[in-house]
Amino acid sequence: MEVSVIRSSQTKIGRTKLACRELGFRNSKANGVKLLTSRSNISFAQSTKSKDLRLRFAPRAVQSPPLRSDKSSDFSKRSKSVRLYVGLPLDTVSECNTVNHARAIAAGLKALKLLGVEGVELPVWWGIVEKEASEKYEWSGYLALAEMVQNAGLKLHVSLCFHGSKQPNIPLPEWVSRIGETQPGIFFTDKSGQHYKQCLSLAVDDLPVLNGKTPVQVYHGFCESFKSTFLPSMGSTIQGISMGLGPDGELRYPSHDRMTKSSRVRGVGEFQCYDQNMLNILKQHADATGNHYWGLGGPHDAPSYDRSPNSGNFFKDHGGSWESPYGDFFLSWYSNQLISHGNRLLSLASSTFDDADMTIYGKVPLMHSWYRTRSHASELTSGFYNTSLRDGYEAVAEMFARNSCKMILPGMDLADEHQPHESLSSPESLLKQIRTACRKHGVEISGQNSSVSGAPGGFEQIKKNLSGENVIDLFTYQRMGAYFFSPEHFPSFTQLVRNLNKQELDSDDLPREDEAAESLQMSSDSGIQMQTA
């Protein structure tokens, strides 16, 4: 099988050529010399008989325009300080604490380094490290991965994940799940009594429900173990740490996690205040304010997960219960519980890693559906008391500022014009509102894209959000995998990197044709295979 390589004076062939050799590219002199690194069909393929991940390169080149560095580009000038990272696969480290698909990951790291990416983001799972028993930590897989990143010359941003994942399946620690079987009240619960078992309810943060310890104490022990294990890499390879704050690591309630996918319009979600511990706190708060009947449960007139705001009385634009004294009482309590939870965990992380000189981050979701209504229903059920009458992000930004933490905002690839009209959504307006609150309180922002498969017009929207006065500390592109390296996607990502880095070539960077013609045939046991179309 042959892959032609044609010379392009606008690309960093001199260095990227080495990546082609490493990953097994071959060429044909008869067809000239053309670089195919950004056009090759690179895919992470899961073997049906094993968990062996392989990088596959299809020989068909995707015709894309030359990748040019425009020196006069306004975007290029304004995004000078943005650091670009790429998220590693969620299952980079297996449940057995080994590096999944190590050879493919190593090849991907080398490609990112040669492309000009500064670093990678690594999810570190509570359910893998402290899997079997309390305080029994196993870091071997993550240590091996950190060494791979260091050897590739990249930086590392670590996300501490105190939640589970459904896809891929990464549960909470086995010993925690066993406790949950007999004490389901440690999990968030909705009005129908369904438990969300991918993270612990914030109502048990300070209750000794985990073999006599509180979740906050357990999280602290995890962070201390991480620090002592990785201290030699902190400040050099490891540049930042994200503290998991809830479902998917975000500061929110799991209000939308039981929604069906049959409709393209996102429903309002449901309040998650029905586990016994949340109800106890609500009752105490209601009794303290002299409104005993308000402490019996959440709003009785709120619609269910997939419904629209007007399908129940609570979220109606006009005359809805959210505007009543009861509505203000409940929504204030519900959102304050979330902010207090975020404060506990960010404070824990800041104090734990203070002597390691680590920058701490926390992630806030972009719940943009129904933003153009008065009630902002999706934000309310998620825990953000933000309406047309009230700014719910001021208190969140102030909490981040109090703990000297930076805020991660996803959804920087989302544009209003590509949202379903009937969802009355506005990701751009919501993002602007949160950024304004952060600017007021001096909180630095980091960004992420929201869609692994790529949002319509996503790259143009990312450029827009990284330019002008939109100062971004760090942008993490999510996430390495099959689509990321596909010919439909990778050339556009390459262009984004070059815009950020403003890469220029010297004539010495260009290889001789006989050098470009060299190839390396990977051995069959390398885990990297060449695939014909």
Side-chain angles (χ1 to χ4, degrees):
M1 182 190 68
E2 294 184 339
V3 178
S4 64
V5 184
I6 300 177
R7 185 187 305 273
S8 170
S9 62
Q10 303 296 328
T11 55
K12 298 182 79 174
I13 298 178
R15 283 176 283 178
T16 312
K17 165 179 70 72
L18 299 176
C20 295
R21 294 178 183 175
E22 184 70 21
L23 297 176
F25 280 109
R26 310 185 84 182
N27 60 59
S28 170
K29 290 184 179 180
N31 293 326
V33 182
K34 185 174 184 178
L35 183 67
L36 289 176
T37 304
S38 62
R39 302 182 181 90
S40 302
N41 183 10
I42 308 177
S43 65
F44 283 76
Q46 185 74 38
S47 169
T48 57
K49 296 184 179 181
S50 70
K51 292 186 177 180
D52 230 12
L53 188 72
R54 293 165 180 167
L55 280 170
R56 295 181 177 178
F57 299 80
R60 290 182 296 182
V62 176
Q63 297 303 316
S64 59
L67 301 174
R68 295 185 294 271
S69 178
D70 186 355
K71 295 181 182 180
S72 63
S73 167
D74 188 51
F75 169 69
S76 181
K77 291 178 180 178
R78 293 174 176 175
S79 61
K80 190 173 183 179
S81 63
V82 179
R83 296 180 294 137
L84 181 64
Y85 280 51
V86 172
L88 293 172
L90 293 175
D91 62 348
T92 296
V93 174
S94 73
E95 287 190 53
C96 300
N97 236 287
T98 59
V99 178
N100 266 331
H101 335 300
R103 292 181 182 275
I105 293 293
L109 293 175
K110 179 171 288 189
L112 293 179
K113 174 62 177 178
L114 294 176
L115 189 60
V117 172
E118 181 170 326
V120 291
E121 176 263 342
L122 172 66
V124 174
W125 297 93
W126 183 27
I128 291 177
V129 175
E130 201 176 356
K131 178 181 179 179
E132 297 180 359
S134 176
E135 298 186 77
K136 184 179 180 181
Y137 308 107
E138 177 54 70
W139 297 102
S140 56
Y142 292 104
L143 283 167
L145 195 284
E147 184 177 3
M148 291 172 63
V149 173
Q150 182 179 11
N151 291 340
L154 293 167
K155 302 300 183 182
L156 185 62
H157 182 103
V158 172
S159 296
L160 302 181
C161 302
F162 296 106
H163 63 282
S165 169
K166 293 181 180 179
Q167 197 59 249
N169 181 35
I170 303 174
L172 294 180
E174 292 177 356
W175 64 277
V176 174
S177 296
R178 286 195 297 269
I179 294 173
E181 291 174 3
T182 58
Q183 301 179 49
I186 67 174
F187 300 120
F188 285 111
T189 308
D190 64 16
K191 186 161 55 177
S192 65
Q194 298 181 95
H195 303 294
Y196 178 79
K197 297 184 178 182
Q198 300 301 317
C199 70
L200 300 181
S201 168
L202 57 82
V204 299
D205 278 354
D206 293 319
L207 297 180
V209 296
L210 300 179
N211 295 337
K213 290 188 175 183
T214 70
V216 168
Q217 289 173 330
V218 173
Y219 301 152
H220 181 255
F222 185 95
C223 291
E224 286 286 1
S225 178
F226 174 84
K227 183 177 73 170
S228 63
T229 302
F230 289 90
L231 190 59
S233 299
M234 292 185 181
S236 52
T237 299
I238 300 176
Q239 296 286 299
I241 297 173
S242 292
M243 185 66 175
L245 302 176
D248 297 326
E250 299 176 332
L251 181 67
R252 65 176 175 89
Y253 292 96
S255 54
H256 291 76
D257 290 84
R258 289 189 178 274
M259 301 180 71
T260 64
K261 298 181 180 180
S262 57
S263 174
R264 73 191 192 108
V265 178
R266 192 182 185 90
V268 298
E270 281 195 18
F271 292 109
Q272 306 290 308
C273 60
Y274 294 91
D275 65 79
Q276 193 55 54
N277 296 296
M278 283 289 282
L279 289 174
N280 290 341
I281 298 173
L282 176 59
K283 184 178 184 304
Q284 292 170 14
H285 182 61
D287 290 346
T289 59
N291 297 292
H292 306 291
Y293 292 107
W294 289 358
L296 300 179
H300 70 280
D301 55 353
S304 57
Y305 288 103
D306 291 301
R307 306 296 295 277
S308 68
N310 288 323
S311 60
N313 189 62
F314 191 83
F315 297 117
K316 282 186 176 179
D317 258 4
H318 300 285
S321 301
W322 64 275
E323 287 191 89
S324 69
Y326 164 75
D328 180 64
F329 161 85
F330 175 80
L331 294 171
S332 295
W333 169 81
Y334 191 68
S335 63
N336 285 338
Q337 290 300 306
L338 183 68
I339 293 172
S340 295
H341 168 73
N343 183 63
R344 281 191 288 272
L345 296 195
L346 290 181
S347 176
L348 182 160
S350 293
S351 60
T352 301
F353 296 107
D354 180 61
D355 57 349
D357 197 28
M358 278 286 98
T359 301
I360 305 300
Y361 298 74
K363 188 175 181 181
V364 173
L366 205 67
M367 309 304 296
H368 54 84
S369 294
W370 311 112
Y371 187 85
R372 296 187 187 277
T373 65
R374 294 183 67 240
S375 67
H376 295 209
S378 287
E379 293 167 82
L380 297 185
T381 58
S382 299
F384 299 94
Y385 190 5
N386 189 58
T387 70
S388 61
L389 306 175
R390 186 181 190 279
D391 190 329
Y393 296 98
E394 284 271 357
V396 177
E398 190 278 329
M399 182 267 289
F400 271 76
R402 189 188 320 144
N403 292 289
S404 301
C405 295
K406 298 184 179 182
M407 184 184 294
I408 299 173
L409 290 176
M412 293 200 170
D413 55 336
L414 300 178
D416 288 2
E417 63 179 304
H418 296 300
Q419 306 307 310
H421 176 72
E422 54 270 38
S423 71
L424 298 175
S425 170
S426 182
E428 294 181 57
S429 298
L430 178 54
L431 186 59
K432 181 179 180 181
Q433 180 185 350
I434 300 175
R435 294 178 99 152
T436 298
C438 288
R439 192 177 303 116
K440 178 179 179 180
H441 291 277
V443 176
E444 288 190 59
I445 290 174
S446 295
Q448 291 182 1
N449 55 313
S450 63
S451 176
V452 174
S453 59
F459 281 106
E460 289 305 313
Q461 194 63 25
I462 290 172
K463 292 177 184 178
K464 178 181 176 181
N465 279 314
L466 299 185
S467 63
E469 298 179 355
N470 298 322
V471 180
I472 294 292
D473 161 63
L474 168 72
F475 186 82
T476 303
Y477 194 89
Q478 303 290 8
R479 181 175 296 278
M480 187 190 292
Y483 180 77
F484 179 83
F485 281 115
S486 71
E488 296 81 16
H489 173 271
F490 198 66
S492 298
F493 176 77
T494 301
Q495 185 65 65
L496 175 68
V497 177
R498 293 205 170 112
N499 282 336
L500 287 170
N501 291 345
K502 301 167 289 299
Q503 296 177 349
E504 299 180 34
L505 288 178
D506 296 323
S507 59
D508 292 341
D509 286 326
L510 302 176
R512 300 190 308 271
E513 186 168 337
D514 61 335
E515 290 180 326
E518 297 178 6
S519 65
L520 175 64
Q521 181 64 48
M522 308 298 290
S523 62
S524 59
D525 62 349
S526 68
I528 300 178
Q529 294 188 341
M530 302 297 291
Q531 176 190 10
T532 57

